[in-house]
């Protein structure tokens, strides 16, 4: 496995460079480099401090990273002896990146953890020469990872919705979840995850944006339904993963899921009582124009006779049949994997109950004393929903 090979290489580098440095200092009677002493001081204070180190490590990033100053003879000699070390490490990292689409993350985690382990070991911390090399390679690994995340974010945001899409989870959502699942497994025991948390936030923003962009897409299915399902899917996924940095994104997904479920339900809400709703929309419009409640029934289009004609079209049997048709429509729309049918159907029930109560109130206010009432009661409506639910 590439990351295991990288870990093994890094483990062998520290004693090799340290022993070579000691030999050079003893053989040529050189005093320790100022940078070496500084590195040792930083290493000791780091190990004893309970606070996490910043990333990249200051001790891995000396001011003259990659160069040797004249007053650093030991570092200069080590650079000559190990002149091929950094190019070889860079080439090895490139190979690791090509083995797996997200190999750069494995490299970053392995490299970062190995460096921390070196500094936390009981032996002397790495030489300033190795500091420089590891710092440069760490920057390369972080740069590769950031480029990978940038490309993935762009792919997610620009992903085109399949023209024949009939609902279900978008490919961009699946890609986001695949990366998060993979990265959480890779970083399960990682000592630091700052870079990963930043990547998760970028990707979460991109995938939520990609779902939002569906509002302008020319889909052959109900757009609110697709958005509702995908926001719900992400919310459930983030609840399962429990990633602290994505708590706000999880709440946003839940809010957007609720919003689009409300819109989806509203789209079909009027169907079971369509003509009755249309009649009372006219009544409410007249009231808004200033017509008094007791005078509404004297409007030709909203007379008692016209209301009776509309109510005759909605006997209990017809309402139940319309609800059964609506249930089949919703069942056909929703993908079974999300199991949103019970939630949507219950929301539909609550909305229709509110609608029934509103219509009943308007009849009492605008047609008081007429004896006009709907042909089915609220109890009848509840029984229709209950029987449809039990029979499906």
């Amino acid at each position: 496995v590439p990351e295991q090979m990288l870990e093994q290489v890094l483990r062998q580098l520290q004693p090799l460079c340290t022993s070579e440095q000691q030999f050079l200092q003893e053989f040529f009677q050189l005093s320790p480099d100022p940078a070496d002493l500084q590195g040792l001081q930083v290493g000791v204070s780091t190990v004893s401090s309970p606070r996490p180190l910043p990333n990249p490590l200051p001790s891995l990033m000396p001011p003259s990273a990659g160069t040797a100053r004249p007053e650093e003879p030991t570092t200069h000699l080590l650079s000559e002896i190990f002149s091929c070390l950094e190019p070889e490490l860079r080439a090895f990292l490139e190979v690791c990146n090509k083995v797996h689409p997200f190999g750069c993350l494995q490299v970053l985690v392995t490299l970062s953890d190995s460096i921390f382990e070196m500094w936390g070991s009981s032996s002397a911390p790495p030489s300033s020469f190795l500091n420089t090399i590891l710092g440069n390679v760490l920057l390369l690994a972080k740069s590769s990872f950031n480029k990978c995340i940038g490309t993935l974010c762009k792919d997610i945001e620009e992903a085109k919705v399949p023209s024949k899409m009939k609902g279900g989870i978008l490919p961009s959502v699946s890609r986001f979840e695949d990366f998060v699942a993979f990265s959480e497994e890779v970083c399960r025991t990682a000592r630091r995850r700052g870079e990963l948390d930043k990547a998760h936030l970028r990707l979460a923003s991109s995938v939520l944006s990609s779902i939002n962009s569906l509002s302008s897409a020319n889909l052959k299915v109900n757009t609110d339904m697709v958005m509702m399902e995908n926001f719900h899917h992400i919310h459930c996924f983030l609840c399962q993963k429990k990633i602290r940095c994505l708590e706000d994104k999880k709440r946003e997904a839940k809010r957007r899921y609720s919003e689009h479920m409300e819109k989806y339900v509203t789209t079909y809400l009027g169907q079971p009582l369509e003509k009755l709703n249309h009649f009372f929309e006219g009544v409410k419009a007249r009231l808004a124009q200033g017509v008094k409640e007791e005078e509404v029934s004297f409007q030709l289009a909203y007379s008692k006779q016209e209301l009776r004609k509309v109510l005759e079209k909605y006997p209990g049997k017809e309402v139940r049949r319309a609800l059964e048709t609506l249930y089949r429509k919703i069942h056909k729309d929703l993908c079974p994997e999300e199991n949103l049918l019970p939630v949507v159907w219950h929301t539909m029930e609550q909305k229709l109950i509110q609608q029934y109560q509103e219509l009943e109130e308007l009849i009492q206010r605008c047609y008081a004393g007429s004896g006009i009432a709907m042909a089915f009661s609220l109890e009848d409506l509840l029984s229709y929903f209950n029987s449809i639910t039990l029979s499906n």
Side-chain angles (χ1 to χ4, degrees):
V1 182
E3 61 268 22
Q4 293 177 347
M5 294 175 63
L6 175 60
E7 184 177 353
Q8 185 177 356
V9 168
L10 294 172
R11 284 180 181 275
Q12 293 175 354
L13 274 179
Q14 181 185 7
L16 178 64
C17 290
T18 301
S19 61
E20 189 66 27
Q21 175 179 301
Q22 291 173 349
F23 169 76
L24 291 174
Q25 290 173 351
E26 293 173 5
F27 186 82
F28 293 105
Q29 298 182 352
L30 299 171
S31 60
D33 291 343
D36 293 339
L37 294 174
Q38 184 182 8
L40 176 61
Q41 194 174 36
V42 172
V44 172
S45 64
T46 300
V47 173
S48 61
S49 173
R51 294 178 299 173
L53 289 170
N55 201 356
L57 302 176
S59 56
L60 294 179
M61 301 299 296
S64 58
T67 64
R69 297 193 298 266
E71 66 269 28
E72 296 180 350
T74 307
T75 300
H76 178 72
L77 288 172
L78 287 170
S79 299
E80 292 290 333
I81 295 170
F82 297 109
S83 60
C84 66
L85 179 56
E86 184 171 341
E88 290 292 339
L89 278 175
R90 287 174 175 267
F92 184 72
L93 295 190
E94 289 298 322
V95 172
C96 292
N97 291 342
K98 293 177 181 178
V99 171
H100 190 279
F102 304 129
C104 52
L105 174 60
Q106 294 175 310
V107 167
L108 182 60
V109 171
T110 302
L111 184 60
S112 182
D113 281 357
S114 296
I115 291 171
F116 271 92
E117 189 173 338
M118 287 181 189
W119 280 102
S121 64
S122 57
S123 59
S127 66
S128 60
F129 166 74
L130 188 56
N131 271 350
T132 303
I133 297 297
L134 294 180
N136 290 342
V137 176
L138 181 61
L139 283 179
L140 175 63
K142 292 176 69 174
S143 176
S144 297
F145 179 63
N146 287 332
K147 287 180 181 177
C148 173
I149 296 303
T151 300
L152 184 57
C153 285
K154 185 178 180 181
D155 290 345
I156 287 175
E157 291 173 5
E158 297 179 356
K160 294 184 178 180
V161 181
S163 58
K164 296 182 180 180
M165 182 174 179
K166 297 182 179 180
I169 305 307
L170 297 169
S172 58
V173 173
S174 299
R175 292 196 68 183
F176 167 75
E177 292 183 340
D178 289 343
F179 174 82
V180 171
F182 171 79
S183 62
E184 284 298 305
E185 179 60 27
V186 169
C187 298
R188 183 167 44 88
T189 58
R191 303 189 184 191
R192 291 177 61 82
R193 50 177 295 145
E195 294 299 318
L196 180 61
D197 285 346
K198 292 177 185 177
H200 280 168
L201 283 169
R202 288 178 65 188
L203 287 167
S205 297
S206 293
V207 76
L208 293 179
S209 175
S210 72
I211 300 174
N212 284 330
S213 67
L214 288 178
S215 58
S216 59
N218 187 23
L219 299 181
K220 294 182 179 180
V221 293
N222 185 284
T223 303
D224 287 309
M225 179 269 294
V226 179
M227 297 174 76
M228 170 188 71
E229 289 184 326
N230 280 272
F231 280 123
H232 175 263
H233 191 79
I234 288 182
H235 176 258
C236 292
F237 176 76
L238 293 180
C239 286
Q240 177 188 0
K241 290 301 178 183
K242 299 178 181 178
I243 301 174
R244 184 175 300 178
C245 71
L246 294 181
E247 284 296 313
D248 286 343
K249 300 298 182 183
K250 182 179 72 175
R251 284 189 285 269
E252 181 182 350
K254 182 178 181 180
R255 177 177 60 81
R256 299 288 287 163
Y257 146 65
S258 299
E259 286 178 2
H260 288 285
M261 182 171 68
E262 184 87 9
K263 291 180 180 179
Y264 175 73
V265 168
T266 302
T267 300
Y268 295 108
L269 183 60
Q271 288 189 0
L273 306 173
E274 184 175 5
K275 293 180 180 179
L276 189 58
N277 279 316
H278 181 72
F279 180 90
F280 278 101
E281 286 297 325
V283 170
K284 287 188 284 185
R286 294 295 184 278
L287 293 174
Q289 292 169 1
V291 176
K292 295 181 180 180
E293 293 177 354
E294 60 271 18
E295 295 177 356
V296 169
S297 62
F298 295 103
Q299 302 279 318
L300 184 61
Y302 304 102
S303 64
K304 298 175 185 178
Q305 184 178 359
E306 291 298 318
L307 175 58
R308 288 191 179 96
K309 288 181 181 179
V310 175
L311 290 176
E312 286 175 359
K313 297 177 181 179
Y314 292 97
K317 188 180 296 185
E318 182 61 33
V319 173
R320 178 189 168 87
R321 187 180 297 113
L323 288 175
E324 289 174 339
T325 301
L326 178 60
Y327 184 91
R328 288 193 295 270
K329 169 63 178 172
I330 296 174
H331 183 274
K332 183 180 178 181
D333 276 355
L334 301 178
C335 68
E337 291 80 9
E338 292 306 299
N339 195 32
L340 282 174
L341 179 59
V343 181
V344 172
W345 187 240
H346 177 71
T347 304
M348 183 70 72
E349 178 182 8
Q350 297 301 310
K351 292 292 183 182
L352 269 173
I353 289 172
Q354 293 175 10
Q355 188 180 77
Y356 179 93
Q357 292 172 333
E358 182 183 3
L359 297 181
E360 195 174 48
E361 181 186 357
L362 282 171
I363 292 174
Q364 292 174 356
R365 284 165 50 195
C366 300
Y367 302 90
S370 64
I372 299 175
M374 286 184 276
F376 61 97
S377 65
L378 182 59
E379 288 73 20
D380 292 333
L381 186 62
L382 290 171
S383 69
Y384 301 155
F385 272 98
N386 187 50
S387 61
I388 292 171
T389 303
L390 293 176
S391 61
N392 290 276

